[in-house]
Amino acid sequence: MISDKEVESERNLKLKPIAGSYNSYSVNEKEKRDWSGNIYLGCVAAILAIAFFT
């Protein structure tokens, strides 16, 4: 739905006009990295290493 109200968004978007085009923009969205999967994998690897060497 299109309205005249401006809505605050939590997404960090950067619009950049595309050279040589008419009303075309490149949308770059920067996301925060989710480290929880990597931390979980690191803990599992540490537990397996401890179990292997003991």
Side-chain angles (χ1 to χ4, degrees), residues 11 13-16 25-29:
R11 295 167 56 181
L13 299 175
K14 295 202 177 204
L15 298 176
K16 191 188 220 184
Y25 295 90
S26 172
V27 179
N28 296 323
E29 181 177 6

Side-chain angles (χ1 to χ4, degrees), residues 4-26:
D4 292 335
K5 295 179 182 178
E6 189 172 320
V7 178
E8 183 95 17
S9 176
E10 294 182 16
R11 295 167 56 181
N12 187 11
L13 299 175
K14 295 202 177 204
L15 298 176
K16 191 188 220 184
I18 298 174
S21 64
Y22 181 72
N23 281 346
S24 296
Y25 295 90
S26 172

